[in-house]
Amino acid sequence: MVTTLRGVGVSHGVAIGEVRHMGTAVLEPPAKQIAAAEAEREQGRAHQAVEAVAADLIARGNLAGGEAQAVLEAQALMAQDPELMADVERRIAVGSTAERGVYDAFASYRALLAGAGEYLAGRVADLDDVRNRIVARLLGVPMPGVPDSDEPYVLIARDLAPADTALLDPALVLGFVTEEGGPTSHSAILARALGVPAVVALPGAGEIAEGTVIAVDGSTGEIFVDPDAAKRAELEAAAAARKAALSASTGPGATSDGHKVPLLANVGGPGDVPAAVEAGAEGVGLFRTEFLFLDDSERAPSEEKQVEAYRKVLEAFPQGRVVVRVLDAGADKPLDFLTPADEPNPALGVRGLRSLLDHPDVLRTQLAALSKAAAGLPVYLEVMAPMVADRADAKAFADACREAGLNAKFGAMVEIPSAALRARSILQEVEFLSLGTNDLAQYTFAADRQVGAVSRLQDPWQPALLDLVALSAEGAKAEGKSCGVCGEAAADPLLACVLTGLGVTSLSMGAASIPYVRSALAKYTLAQCARAAAAARATDSAEEARKAAQTVLSGE
């Protein structure tokens, strides 16, 4: 009998192959004491290692491009954090070696993150990866990472650092499974961008022996250990059927009875545009602009630099819709020039629009750059603010857009439950809503989107989350305005049908998911989607909601 395990599926597709495990972590360096005369030399070694690791991360980001580049540049900034380096120097000055000073300083910072309500716990994997790279360089040992193999394999790891995920070779790594992580972790997002089947949050995955053949279904989250010939044939047939359905589905997104549902792409910069165009995206539903601000944490990029980057994306979608999210800084994306350094809980503090309203010059420059970038282009530009809590926030953003002379639609992201509850009020000030389901789930359930232990509460199928989506969509319909979804929920083909049935007017996702969603929508009428949505909302758990919707749409 085939053993079946279940985690959280985060990237579509089926992979069958032998297991290879990620290399072990860097060993803890010995607590060796040095003479005072050696301190300066050891401090120099530490600085050289930090700069080398930061440069390597930036180089990896340049190779990967797109979303991965922004993630790896953020890691490079983490490596060069001046407070961390000051702590390293202090430890070396009182007798630690360079490697021990780095190890202990990072351990102290790690403890601070855990003590801050664990909102930033999702960045602990990134922090550990940076530490390991620096310590490995100082010790002169190879950096643990993706195993060498001449044959394709399925990778299993406790967690995957972005630096490893970004440069996975899909020709060798058929899929991956992690014990930790969540559906909106950096590795999950990058897996979808790569088109690699992936399952996360699978306890005990590390106990599967090296060389064991497993089948990974990234759509259902199921892992089949030692699948027999019948199970392999079943999975391969299902994968072939999906591929055929994808090839047959082209054109704009729509239900089978012709109800249009524009399918847009989430992009993190110009590097993501080619994949979006190839996938047939009808525009951009979420243009994350943070990539421009990560190059230098001490100052905002110039207006000229912003204009150049924005125009590259806008030019790729003539006659298309491009929705730009203004800078979303704070919490897990701190910027020295913008966000407070001493907040007890940054997730609930000054982030997103709040940061920009505290620094109106930064917002004014970005809006002016967007206006210039769109000048003379036939693109339909829309600009939205992150972390809008109420009508006052929406008004402040709309006023700033008008003062900047921006010729575009102004919108608000619904990421805070209050915004969903008061959607009609907010729509008195702006022209559209866009649901960021990742953060909306996080704030609805008090569940960090990066912590695997609470991943069930990050499941976008949670009925309470569907209720908030429905409230937002109903409010927008009552005001004669649009309400899209740009969170990762839109990338689930079955859930995309439910979101459509809830009244969502557009769906935006990673480019790799667009063909799957287009194919799924084309199978059902709007009425079927509405019935599936009602059935999902009538349940009490994410699993029940998913099954209820599947039952309705399968006609069982």
Side-chain angles (χ1 to χ4, degrees), residues 528-547:
Q528 286 176 301
C529 292
R531 286 197 294 273
R537 289 182 67 191
T539 65
D540 294 312
S541 72
E543 185 175 357
E544 290 174 356
R546 186 183 289 106
K547 287 180 179 177

Side-chain angles (χ1 to χ4, degrees), residues 421-463:
L421 293 168
R422 301 290 293 173
R424 294 192 67 175
S425 172
I426 287 172
L427 285 167
Q428 303 309 304
E429 305 294 343
V430 294
E431 298 173 80
F432 69 93
L433 299 177
S434 183
L435 287 141
T437 52
N438 307 339
D439 268 324
L440 184 58
Q442 174 170 254
Y443 289 115
T444 298
F445 297 105
D448 191 320
R449 57 190 282 190
Q450 300 291 339
V451 177
V454 293
S455 62
R456 76 173 186 85
L457 296 172
Q458 268 292 327
D459 192 324
W461 281 95
Q462 286 284 355

Side-chain angles (χ1 to χ4, degrees), residues 53-68:
V53 166
D56 178 62
L57 289 168
I58 290 171
R60 285 170 176 259
N62 289 336
L63 281 173
E67 185 112 37

Side-chain angles (χ1 to χ4, degrees), residues 41 44 55 61 67 73 81 95 114 125 128 146 157-158 188 191 197 275 342 382 463:
R41 177 178 65 84
E67 185 112 37
E73 286 176 350
D81 184 276
D128 288 348
V146 178
R158 182 182 64 81
D342 56 353
E382 301 185 11

Side-chain angles (χ1 to χ4, degrees), residues 317-529:
F317 295 95
Q319 304 297 331
R321 176 186 177 198
V322 175
V323 184
V324 179
R325 180 180 69 191
V326 294
L327 176 62
D328 184 15
D332 59 343
K333 291 172 285 191
L335 293 171
D336 293 344
F337 69 89
L338 196 67
T339 50
D342 56 353
E343 287 188 305
N345 190 339
L348 302 179
V350 182
R351 63 166 298 195
L353 179 61
R354 299 167 188 173
S355 295
L356 293 174
L357 295 178
D358 278 355
H359 297 79
D361 54 322
V362 176
L363 177 59
R364 191 180 306 116
T365 299
Q366 185 170 27
L367 295 175
L370 285 166
S371 182
K372 289 182 180 179
L377 296 179
V379 67
Y380 296 97
L381 177 63
E382 301 185 11
V383 182
M384 62 185 181
M387 301 301 294
V388 171
D390 56 16
R391 182 172 178 173
D393 278 352
K395 183 178 188 305
F397 178 65
D399 287 345
C401 289
R402 281 188 283 267
E403 288 169 11
L406 192 61
N407 182 24
K409 285 187 176 181
F410 318 141
M413 292 198 70
V414 178
E415 300 164 287
I416 302 173
S418 63
L421 293 168
R422 301 290 293 173
R424 294 192 67 175
S425 172
I426 287 172
L427 285 167
Q428 303 309 304
E429 305 294 343
V430 294
E431 298 173 80
F432 69 93
L433 299 177
S434 183
L435 287 141
T437 52
N438 307 339
D439 268 324
L440 184 58
Q442 174 170 254
Y443 289 115
T444 298
F445 297 105
D448 191 320
R449 57 190 282 190
Q450 300 291 339
V451 177
V454 293
S455 62
R456 76 173 186 85
L457 296 172
Q458 268 292 327
D459 192 324
W461 281 95
Q462 286 284 355
L465 190 66
L466 298 181
D467 288 344
L468 291 175
V469 173
L471 276 174
S472 302
E474 289 163 5
K477 183 178 181 180
E479 296 298 327
K481 296 180 179 180
S482 63
C483 176
V485 168
C486 64
E488 291 301 314
D492 178 336
L494 179 61
L495 185 51
C497 296
V498 167
L499 295 173
T500 299
L502 291 173
V504 166
T505 56
S506 66
L507 299 166
S508 189
M509 65 210 75
S513 298
I514 290 175
Y516 291 90
V517 173
R518 181 191 293 120
S519 175
L521 282 173
K523 297 176 184 176
Y524 309 109
T525 65
L526 178 59
Q528 286 176 301
C529 292

Side-chain angles (χ1 to χ4, degrees), residues 25-57:
V26 172
L27 296 176
E28 179 179 346
K32 177 183 175 183
Q33 290 289 303
I34 61 170
E38 298 178 61
E40 186 175 349
R41 177 178 65 84
E42 289 296 289
Q43 289 171 341
R45 287 181 64 227
H47 276 281
Q48 288 175 0
V50 165
E51 292 304 318
V53 166
D56 178 62
L57 289 168

